[in-house]
Amino acid sequence: MKIAVLVSGGGTNLQAIIDSIDNGHLTNVSIEVVIASNANAFALERAKNHGIASLVITRKAYETMEAYDEAMLGAITSSGAELVVMAGFLSLLGPKVVQKYANRILNIHPALIPSFCGKGMYGIRPHEAVLARGVKVSGATVHLVNEFYDEGPILLQKAVDVLPNDTPETLQKRIMKECEQVILPQAIQCMADNKVVIENNLAKIVD
């Protein structure tokens, strides 16, 4: 399966996908393009180091959401991608992309949806909110993307204990390593193997 990976920052989840392909844990998957929402994203260096085509499409470069939507759609479709993977991508996709790739867009969220999600809950913020609320378990969620923040069908989740001495930074790092980088490649494999069935906004993995 050909995939397009959308990024905004360091690209640790992109690296997890690349590594999973290289070590054979992720099969029949190729990254056709990496699209970054800002030119300074280190993920672009990761793509370059692995010979993966990349480009930058920023929302602020377009006067309207419609123009941005068209640009993103054009870049994804021209790559030949069959699946779109939002790996730490902080921009909201436009309706044309969402409709064109309905049930074929994955996002990784650093919390256990439906908790600590929605607009503005990205980066370190979910981890700060987790600690402020005093919950004892957090983790990550891979879900399919619709037109609303974090409301698409949940595909995979993985949890870790919140430790008494955790800071937002230590919790973020542990969830990234033990949850995000584990379940995102797994979710991509499920999609590549056509094992995902979606009914009534619920995702099921079938054999």
Side-chain angles (χ1 to χ4, degrees):
M1 174 175 276
K2 297 178 179 180
I3 69 173
V5 182
L6 278 49
V7 297
S8 291
T12 53
N13 285 321
L14 167 64
Q15 190 66 53
I17 299 168
I18 293 171
D19 292 345
S20 294
I21 293 172
D22 287 348
N23 64 27
H25 288 146
L26 191 51
T27 59
N28 300 317
V29 172
S30 63
I31 303 174
E32 299 302 306
V33 68
V34 170
I35 302 175
S37 63
N38 74 85
N40 297 319
F42 185 70
L44 292 168
E45 287 297 314
R46 297 182 190 272
K48 181 180 178 181
N49 291 339
H50 287 80
I52 301 169
S54 64
L55 65 154
V56 178
I57 299 178
T58 64
R59 170 66 183 89
K60 63 183 179 182
Y62 298 88
E63 291 187 3
T64 65
M65 182 63 183
E66 290 76 15
Y68 168 74
D69 194 13
E70 287 280 3
M72 186 65 76
L73 180 61
I76 295 170
T77 54
S78 65
S79 75
E82 302 158 271
L83 178 71
V84 179
V85 180
M86 299 171 67
F89 185 71
L90 304 183
S91 297
L92 187 67
L93 290 176
K96 289 187 178 180
V97 173
V98 173
Q99 291 165 15
K100 172 76 173 180
Y101 290 90
N103 295 330
R104 290 186 292 149
I105 306 173
L106 296 179
N107 182 51
I108 182 80
H109 181 73
L112 297 174
I113 293 173
S115 297
F116 308 107
C117 63
K119 187 175 181 179
M121 276 293 178
Y122 59 85
I124 200 72
R125 294 178 184 178
H127 309 296
E128 292 173 339
V130 161
L131 294 177
R133 187 62 183 87
V135 300
K136 308 308 177 189
V137 175
S138 191
T141 303
V142 177
H143 66 94
L144 289 111
V145 172
N146 60 20
E147 59 271 36
F148 305 107
Y149 283 108
D150 302 328
E151 292 188 16
I154 293 170
L155 185 56
L156 291 173
Q157 292 184 303
K158 195 171 189 300
V160 295
D161 291 333
V162 178
L163 304 178
N165 60 345
D166 263 329
T167 64
E169 290 75 19
T170 61
L171 183 58
Q172 180 184 44
K173 186 175 181 180
R174 192 162 70 257
I175 287 175
M176 196 177 291
K177 182 177 180 180
E178 297 182 19
C179 300
E180 296 179 41
Q181 295 171 14
V182 174
I183 63 174
L184 185 55
Q186 289 177 352
I188 294 169
Q189 189 69 70
C190 287
M191 296 293 289
D193 292 342
N194 293 313
K195 291 185 175 181
V196 180
V197 175
I198 300 167
E199 297 175 350
N200 300 319
N201 206 44
L202 297 175
K204 298 179 181 179
I205 298 173
V206 298
D207 291 328

PDB file of all heavy atoms in Angstrom, residues 29-59:
ATOM      1  N   VAL A  29       4.095  -1.984   2.322  1.00  0.00           N
ATOM      2  CA  VAL A  29       3.813  -0.563   2.537  1.00  0.00           C
ATOM      3  C   VAL A  29       5.001   0.258   2.048  1.00  0.00           C
ATOM      4  O   VAL A  29       6.153  -0.094   2.327  1.00  0.00           O
ATOM      5  CB  VAL A  29       3.550  -0.260   4.025  1.00  0.00           C
ATOM      6  CG1 VAL A  29       3.454   1.247   4.261  1.00  0.00           C
ATOM      7  CG2 VAL A  29       2.277  -0.947   4.498  1.00  0.00           C
ATOM      8  N   SER A  30       4.732   1.329   1.326  1.00  0.00           N
ATOM      9  CA  SER A  30       5.795   2.245   0.901  1.00  0.00           C
ATOM     10  C   SER A  30       5.349   3.682   1.122  1.00  0.00           C
ATOM     11  O   SER A  30       4.189   4.022   0.880  1.00  0.00           O
ATOM     12  CB  SER A  30       6.155   2.021  -0.575  1.00  0.00           C
ATOM     13  OG  SER A  30       5.047   2.314  -1.409  1.00  0.00           O
ATOM     14  N   ILE A  31       6.271   4.508   1.603  1.00  0.00           N
ATOM     15  CA  ILE A  31       5.983   5.931   1.798  1.00  0.00           C
ATOM     16  C   ILE A  31       6.286   6.653   0.487  1.00  0.00           C
ATOM     17  O   ILE A  31       7.438   6.708   0.050  1.00  0.00           O
ATOM     18  CB  ILE A  31       6.828   6.519   2.939  1.00  0.00           C
ATOM     19  CG1 ILE A  31       6.587   5.758   4.243  1.00  0.00           C
ATOM     20  CG2 ILE A  31       6.495   8.008   3.123  1.00  0.00           C
ATOM     21  CD1 ILE A  31       7.512   6.190   5.386  1.00  0.00           C
ATOM     22  N   GLU A  32       5.257   7.191  -0.123  1.00  0.00           N
ATOM     23  CA  GLU A  32       5.419   7.866  -1.410  1.00  0.00           C
ATOM     24  C   GLU A  32       5.806   9.333  -1.256  1.00  0.00           C
ATOM     25  O   GLU A  32       6.525   9.881  -2.094  1.00  0.00           O
ATOM     26  CB  GLU A  32       4.128   7.752  -2.220  1.00  0.00           C
ATOM     27  CG  GLU A  32       3.727   6.320  -2.548  1.00  0.00           C
ATOM     28  CD  GLU A  32       4.804   5.592  -3.332  1.00  0.00           C
ATOM     29  OE1 GLU A  32       5.226   6.110  -4.385  1.00  0.00           O
ATOM     30  OE2 GLU A  32       5.212   4.499  -2.883  1.00  0.00           O
ATOM     31  N   VAL A  33       5.309   9.965  -0.201  1.00  0.00           N
ATOM     32  CA  VAL A  33       5.607  11.375   0.005  1.00  0.00           C
ATOM     33  C   VAL A  33       5.421  11.729   1.478  1.00  0.00           C
ATOM     34  O   VAL A  33       4.592  11.139   2.173  1.00  0.00           O
ATOM     35  CB  VAL A  33       4.691  12.276  -0.881  1.00  0.00           C
ATOM     36  CG1 VAL A  33       3.235  12.205  -0.430  1.00  0.00           C
ATOM     37  CG2 VAL A  33       5.179  13.726  -0.892  1.00  0.00           C
ATOM     38  N   VAL A  34       6.236  12.664   1.940  1.00  0.00           N
ATOM     39  CA  VAL A  34       6.071  13.266   3.260  1.00  0.00           C
ATOM     40  C   VAL A  34       5.700  14.726   3.034  1.00  0.00           C
ATOM     41  O   VAL A  34       6.402  15.449   2.327  1.00  0.00           O
ATOM     42  CB  VAL A  34       7.362  13.158   4.098  1.00  0.00           C
ATOM     43  CG1 VAL A  34       7.255  13.997   5.366  1.00  0.00           C
ATOM     44  CG2 VAL A  34       7.648  11.696   4.447  1.00  0.00           C
ATOM     45  N   ILE A  35       4.581  15.141   3.622  1.00  0.00           N
ATOM     46  CA  ILE A  35       4.113  16.520   3.475  1.00  0.00           C
ATOM     47  C   ILE A  35       4.173  17.195   4.838  1.00  0.00           C
ATOM     48  O   ILE A  35       3.560  16.714   5.799  1.00  0.00           O
ATOM     49  CB  ILE A  35       2.684  16.572   2.921  1.00  0.00           C
ATOM     50  CG1 ILE A  35       2.610  15.845   1.565  1.00  0.00           C
ATOM     51  CG2 ILE A  35       2.206  18.026   2.779  1.00  0.00           C
ATOM     52  CD1 ILE A  35       1.208  15.738   0.998  1.00  0.00           C
ATOM     53  N   ALA A  36       4.901  18.291   4.916  1.00  0.00           N
ATOM     54  CA  ALA A  36       5.070  19.005   6.179  1.00  0.00           C
ATOM     55  C   ALA A  36       4.255  20.295   6.179  1.00  0.00           C
ATOM     56  O   ALA A  36       4.113  20.954   5.148  1.00  0.00           O
ATOM     57  CB  ALA A  36       6.539  19.330   6.428  1.00  0.00           C
ATOM     58  N   SER A  37       3.739  20.638   7.371  1.00  0.00           N
ATOM     59  CA  SER A  37       2.951  21.862   7.494  1.00  0.00           C
ATOM     60  C   SER A  37       3.818  23.086   7.769  1.00  0.00           C
ATOM     61  O   SER A  37       3.327  24.197   7.803  1.00  0.00           O
ATOM     62  CB  SER A  37       1.918  21.719   8.617  1.00  0.00           C
ATOM     63  OG  SER A  37       2.573  21.552   9.867  1.00  0.00           O
ATOM     64  N   ASN A  38       5.125  22.867   7.972  1.00  0.00           N
ATOM     65  CA  ASN A  38       6.047  23.998   8.102  1.00  0.00           C
ATOM     66  C   ASN A  38       7.425  23.589   7.609  1.00  0.00           C
ATOM     67  O   ASN A  38       7.823  22.421   7.713  1.00  0.00           O
ATOM     68  CB  ASN A  38       6.088  24.530   9.531  1.00  0.00           C
ATOM     69  CG  ASN A  38       6.840  23.614  10.472  1.00  0.00           C
ATOM     70  OD1 ASN A  38       8.059  23.691  10.572  1.00  0.00           O
ATOM     71  ND2 ASN A  38       6.126  22.743  11.172  1.00  0.00           N
ATOM     72  N   ALA A  39       8.145  24.554   7.095  1.00  0.00           N
ATOM     73  CA  ALA A  39       9.432  24.282   6.445  1.00  0.00           C
ATOM     74  C   ALA A  39      10.519  23.878   7.421  1.00  0.00           C
ATOM     75  O   ALA A  39      11.560  23.345   7.008  1.00  0.00           O
ATOM     76  CB  ALA A  39       9.871  25.515   5.651  1.00  0.00           C
ATOM     77  N   ASN A  40      10.327  24.137   8.703  1.00  0.00           N
ATOM     78  CA  ASN A  40      11.356  23.842   9.697  1.00  0.00           C
ATOM     79  C   ASN A  40      11.182  22.489  10.371  1.00  0.00           C
ATOM     80  O   ASN A  40      11.924  22.151  11.290  1.00  0.00           O
ATOM     81  CB  ASN A  40      11.366  24.941  10.769  1.00  0.00           C
ATOM     82  CG  ASN A  40      11.734  26.294  10.203  1.00  0.00           C
ATOM     83  OD1 ASN A  40      12.627  26.399   9.368  1.00  0.00           O
ATOM     84  ND2 ASN A  40      11.029  27.334  10.629  1.00  0.00           N
ATOM     85  N   ALA A  41      10.209  21.716   9.935  1.00  0.00           N
ATOM     86  CA  ALA A  41       9.961  20.408  10.545  1.00  0.00           C
ATOM     87  C   ALA A  41      11.160  19.485  10.316  1.00  0.00           C
ATOM     88  O   ALA A  41      11.569  19.264   9.176  1.00  0.00           O
ATOM     89  CB  ALA A  41       8.699  19.786   9.963  1.00  0.00           C
ATOM     90  N   PHE A  42      11.702  18.953  11.385  1.00  0.00           N
ATOM     91  CA  PHE A  42      12.856  18.051  11.257  1.00  0.00           C
ATOM     92  C   PHE A  42      12.473  16.769  10.527  1.00  0.00           C
ATOM     93  O   PHE A  42      13.331  16.067   9.983  1.00  0.00           O
ATOM     94  CB  PHE A  42      13.427  17.717  12.643  1.00  0.00           C
ATOM     95  CG  PHE A  42      14.683  16.890  12.590  1.00  0.00           C
ATOM     96  CD1 PHE A  42      15.871  17.435  12.131  1.00  0.00           C
ATOM     97  CD2 PHE A  42      14.662  15.556  12.955  1.00  0.00           C
ATOM     98  CE1 PHE A  42      17.028  16.671  12.050  1.00  0.00           C
ATOM     99  CE2 PHE A  42      15.807  14.770  12.886  1.00  0.00           C
ATOM    100  CZ  PHE A  42      17.000  15.330  12.431  1.00  0.00           C
ATOM    101  N   ALA A  43      11.187  16.470  10.502  1.00  0.00           N
ATOM    102  CA  ALA A  43      10.715  15.297   9.765  1.00  0.00           C
ATOM    103  C   ALA A  43      11.153  15.346   8.304  1.00  0.00           C
ATOM    104  O   ALA A  43      11.365  14.304   7.674  1.00  0.00           O
ATOM    105  CB  ALA A  43       9.193  15.204   9.861  1.00  0.00           C
ATOM    106  N   LEU A  44      11.318  16.543   7.759  1.00  0.00           N
ATOM    107  CA  LEU A  44      11.771  16.679   6.373  1.00  0.00           C
ATOM    108  C   LEU A  44      13.180  16.131   6.204  1.00  0.00           C
ATOM    109  O   LEU A  44      13.510  15.538   5.160  1.00  0.00           O
ATOM    110  CB  LEU A  44      11.715  18.148   5.937  1.00  0.00           C
ATOM    111  CG  LEU A  44      10.311  18.752   5.812  1.00  0.00           C
ATOM    112  CD1 LEU A  44      10.390  20.260   5.671  1.00  0.00           C
ATOM    113  CD2 LEU A  44       9.564  18.122   4.631  1.00  0.00           C
ATOM    114  N   GLU A  45      14.020  16.310   7.217  1.00  0.00           N
ATOM    115  CA  GLU A  45      15.371  15.750   7.189  1.00  0.00           C
ATOM    116  C   GLU A  45      15.326  14.230   7.229  1.00  0.00           C
ATOM    117  O   GLU A  45      16.100  13.550   6.558  1.00  0.00           O
ATOM    118  CB  GLU A  45      16.189  16.283   8.370  1.00  0.00           C
ATOM    119  CG  GLU A  45      16.612  17.729   8.241  1.00  0.00           C
ATOM    120  CD  GLU A  45      17.548  17.951   7.060  1.00  0.00           C
ATOM    121  OE1 GLU A  45      18.506  17.157   6.888  1.00  0.00           O
ATOM    122  OE2 GLU A  45      17.313  18.907   6.296  1.00  0.00           O
ATOM    123  N   ARG A  46      14.407  13.709   8.039  1.00  0.00           N
ATOM    124  CA  ARG A  46      14.269  12.249   8.109  1.00  0.00           C
ATOM    125  C   ARG A  46      13.865  11.684   6.748  1.00  0.00           C
ATOM    126  O   ARG A  46      14.369  10.640   6.325  1.00  0.00           O
ATOM    127  CB  ARG A  46      13.230  11.880   9.169  1.00  0.00           C
ATOM    128  CG  ARG A  46      13.600  12.288  10.589  1.00  0.00           C
ATOM    129  CD  ARG A  46      12.526  11.835  11.572  1.00  0.00           C
ATOM    130  NE  ARG A  46      12.687  12.375  12.903  1.00  0.00           N
ATOM    131  CZ  ARG A  46      13.415  11.804  13.867  1.00  0.00           C
ATOM    132  NH1 ARG A  46      14.049  10.679  13.634  1.00  0.00           N
ATOM    133  NH2 ARG A  46      13.507  12.373  15.071  1.00  0.00           N
ATOM    134  N   ALA A  47      12.951  12.367   6.085  1.00  0.00           N
ATOM    135  CA  ALA A  47      12.536  11.926   4.757  1.00  0.00           C
ATOM    136  C   ALA A  47      13.707  11.984   3.778  1.00  0.00           C
ATOM    137  O   ALA A  47      13.950  11.022   3.018  1.00  0.00           O
ATOM    138  CB  ALA A  47      11.377  12.791   4.262  1.00  0.00           C
ATOM    139  N   LYS A  48      14.423  13.074   3.807  1.00  0.00           N
ATOM    140  CA  LYS A  48      15.569  13.251   2.905  1.00  0.00           C
ATOM    141  C   LYS A  48      16.612  12.164   3.120  1.00  0.00           C
ATOM    142  O   LYS A  48      17.157  11.604   2.163  1.00  0.00           O
ATOM    143  CB  LYS A  48      16.188  14.635   3.135  1.00  0.00           C
ATOM    144  CG  LYS A  48      17.374  14.944   2.243  1.00  0.00           C
ATOM    145  CD  LYS A  48      17.930  16.332   2.547  1.00  0.00           C
ATOM    146  CE  LYS A  48      19.156  16.631   1.695  1.00  0.00           C
ATOM    147  NZ  LYS A  48      19.712  17.987   2.004  1.00  0.00           N
ATOM    148  N   ASN A  49      16.872  11.848   4.394  1.00  0.00           N
ATOM    149  CA  ASN A  49      17.886  10.841   4.723  1.00  0.00           C
ATOM    150  C   ASN A  49      17.516   9.448   4.227  1.00  0.00           C
ATOM    151  O   ASN A  49      18.383   8.578   4.105  1.00  0.00           O
ATOM    152  CB  ASN A  49      18.116  10.797   6.236  1.00  0.00           C
ATOM    153  CG  ASN A  49      18.794  12.050   6.755  1.00  0.00           C
ATOM    154  OD1 ASN A  49      19.425  12.777   5.997  1.00  0.00           O
ATOM    155  ND2 ASN A  49      18.640  12.320   8.047  1.00  0.00           N
ATOM    156  N   HIS A  50      16.229   9.231   3.964  1.00  0.00           N
ATOM    157  CA  HIS A  50      15.780   7.923   3.495  1.00  0.00           C
ATOM    158  C   HIS A  50      15.317   7.965   2.041  1.00  0.00           C
ATOM    159  O   HIS A  50      14.665   7.031   1.564  1.00  0.00           O
ATOM    160  CB  HIS A  50      14.664   7.391   4.403  1.00  0.00           C
ATOM    161  CG  HIS A  50      15.151   6.930   5.734  1.00  0.00           C
ATOM    162  ND1 HIS A  50      15.432   7.808   6.768  1.00  0.00           N
ATOM    163  CD2 HIS A  50      15.462   5.684   6.201  1.00  0.00           C
ATOM    164  CE1 HIS A  50      15.868   7.116   7.810  1.00  0.00           C
ATOM    165  NE2 HIS A  50      15.903   5.850   7.494  1.00  0.00           N
ATOM    166  N   GLY A  51      15.630   9.051   1.353  1.00  0.00           N
ATOM    167  CA  GLY A  51      15.319   9.141  -0.064  1.00  0.00           C
ATOM    168  C   GLY A  51      13.835   9.218  -0.374  1.00  0.00           C
ATOM    169  O   GLY A  51      13.388   8.782  -1.443  1.00  0.00           O
ATOM    170  N   ILE A  52      13.069   9.780   0.569  1.00  0.00           N
ATOM    171  CA  ILE A  52      11.620   9.882   0.390  1.00  0.00           C
ATOM    172  C   ILE A  52      11.271  11.290  -0.095  1.00  0.00           C
ATOM    173  O   ILE A  52      11.743  12.281   0.482  1.00  0.00           O
ATOM    174  CB  ILE A  52      10.882   9.586   1.708  1.00  0.00           C
ATOM    175  CG1 ILE A  52      11.227   8.177   2.198  1.00  0.00           C
ATOM    176  CG2 ILE A  52       9.377   9.731   1.530  1.00  0.00           C
ATOM    177  CD1 ILE A  52      10.756   7.904   3.624  1.00  0.00           C
ATOM    178  N   ALA A  53      10.460  11.384  -1.112  1.00  0.00           N
ATOM    179  CA  ALA A  53      10.044  12.684  -1.627  1.00  0.00           C
ATOM    180  C   ALA A  53       9.297  13.460  -0.551  1.00  0.00           C
ATOM    181  O   ALA A  53       8.548  12.880   0.243  1.00  0.00           O
ATOM    182  CB  ALA A  53       9.143  12.501  -2.847  1.00  0.00           C
ATOM    183  N   SER A  54       9.509  14.766  -0.504  1.00  0.00           N
ATOM    184  CA  SER A  54       8.832  15.580   0.505  1.00  0.00           C
ATOM    185  C   SER A  54       8.520  16.957  -0.045  1.00  0.00           C
ATOM    186  O   SER A  54       9.129  17.409  -1.016  1.00  0.00           O
ATOM    187  CB  SER A  54       9.701  15.713   1.761  1.00  0.00           C
ATOM    188  OG  SER A  54      10.907  16.412   1.483  1.00  0.00           O
ATOM    189  N   LEU A  55       7.553  17.606   0.572  1.00  0.00           N
ATOM    190  CA  LEU A  55       7.214  18.979   0.221  1.00  0.00           C
ATOM    191  C   LEU A  55       6.559  19.660   1.411  1.00  0.00           C
ATOM    192  O   LEU A  55       6.160  18.997   2.376  1.00  0.00           O
ATOM    193  CB  LEU A  55       6.299  19.047  -0.999  1.00  0.00           C
ATOM    194  CG  LEU A  55       4.897  18.460  -0.887  1.00  0.00           C
ATOM    195  CD1 LEU A  55       3.981  19.164  -1.887  1.00  0.00           C
ATOM    196  CD2 LEU A  55       4.902  16.975  -1.183  1.00  0.00           C
ATOM    197  N   VAL A  56       6.473  20.962   1.336  1.00  0.00           N
ATOM    198  CA  VAL A  56       5.898  21.769   2.406  1.00  0.00           C
ATOM    199  C   VAL A  56       4.637  22.450   1.895  1.00  0.00           C
ATOM    200  O   VAL A  56       4.660  23.112   0.850  1.00  0.00           O
ATOM    201  CB  VAL A  56       6.898  22.828   2.912  1.00  0.00           C
ATOM    202  CG1 VAL A  56       6.262  23.692   4.000  1.00  0.00           C
ATOM    203  CG2 VAL A  56       8.169  22.172   3.419  1.00  0.00           C
ATOM    204  N   ILE A  57       3.546  22.267   2.626  1.00  0.00           N
ATOM    205  CA  ILE A  57       2.290  22.960   2.308  1.00  0.00           C
ATOM    206  C   ILE A  57       1.793  23.588   3.602  1.00  0.00           C
ATOM    207  O   ILE A  57       1.380  22.881   4.518  1.00  0.00           O
ATOM    208  CB  ILE A  57       1.228  21.996   1.738  1.00  0.00           C
ATOM    209  CG1 ILE A  57       1.721  21.351   0.445  1.00  0.00           C
ATOM    210  CG2 ILE A  57      -0.083  22.748   1.494  1.00  0.00           C
ATOM    211  CD1 ILE A  57       0.750  20.351  -0.155  1.00  0.00           C
ATOM    212  N   THR A  58       1.863  24.900   3.682  1.00  0.00           N
ATOM    213  CA  THR A  58       1.450  25.595   4.895  1.00  0.00           C
ATOM    214  C   THR A  58       0.084  26.242   4.691  1.00  0.00           C
ATOM    215  O   THR A  58      -0.204  26.769   3.613  1.00  0.00           O
ATOM    216  CB  THR A  58       2.463  26.682   5.293  1.00  0.00           C
ATOM    217  OG1 THR A  58       2.500  27.685   4.265  1.00  0.00           O
ATOM    218  CG2 THR A  58       3.856  26.093   5.449  1.00  0.00           C
ATOM    219  N   ARG A  59      -0.716  26.204   5.721  1.00  0.00           N
ATOM    220  CA  ARG A  59      -2.047  26.801   5.637  1.00  0.00           C
ATOM    221  C   ARG A  59      -1.956  28.301   5.345  1.00  0.00           C
ATOM    222  O   ARG A  59      -2.749  28.838   4.557  1.00  0.00           O
ATOM    223  CB  ARG A  59      -2.806  26.541   6.950  1.00  0.00           C
ATOM    224  CG  ARG A  59      -4.120  27.313   7.090  1.00  0.00           C
ATOM    225  CD  ARG A  59      -5.146  26.867   6.068  1.00  0.00           C
ATOM    226  NE  ARG A  59      -6.374  27.652   6.165  1.00  0.00           N
ATOM    227  CZ  ARG A  59      -6.578  28.785   5.500  1.00  0.00           C
ATOM    228  NH1 ARG A  59      -5.640  29.281   4.698  1.00  0.00           N
ATOM    229  NH2 ARG A  59      -7.717  29.437   5.613  1.00  0.00           N
TER     230      ARG A  59
END
